[in-house]
Amino acid sequence: MVTTQARNKKLAAKFVVWSKASRNQAVKIWTKLGFDPVRKDIWTEPVMKSSNKYTKYFGKNIFDTFSALADQTTSVSQTKPLSPE
């Protein structure tokens, strides 16, 4: 998401796509930061089961659980009056 306060919205949007939505960066979001990547298509990739400090904690099959629940996830909804639209 890019807010309306961004000076260069187009550049900010390109950065968000590169940093979150590209395949390589999505893998790094998991392997370097331990966050679940937004790309559902990589959840079944072998690299997501590779040993790292996060698989030691969560187990190597955490994304099997994510994949099993993928059909139950939808878009973000606005829940508070002050949330960005």
Side-chain angles (χ1 to χ4, degrees), residues 39-50:
R39 287 185 60 135
K40 294 177 182 180
D41 64 323
I42 66 166
W43 292 352
T44 57
E45 296 283 326
V47 68
M48 301 307 284
K49 291 185 178 188
S50 298

Side-chain angles (χ1 to χ4, degrees), residues 46-67:
V47 68
M48 301 307 284
K49 291 185 178 188
S50 298
S51 294
N52 63 38
K53 62 184 174 184
Y54 308 111
T55 57
K56 287 180 186 175
Y57 182 80
F58 294 109
K60 289 188 176 186
N61 296 322
I62 186 170
F63 290 101
D64 292 344
T65 303
F66 280 28
S67 294

Side-chain angles (χ1 to χ4, degrees), residues 2-3 14-16 23 30 32 44 57 59 65 70 73 84:
V2 175
T3 67
K14 284 184 177 184
F15 175 76
V16 170
R23 185 190 182 289
W30 168 246
K32 302 290 184 190
T44 57
Y57 182 80
T65 303
T73 59

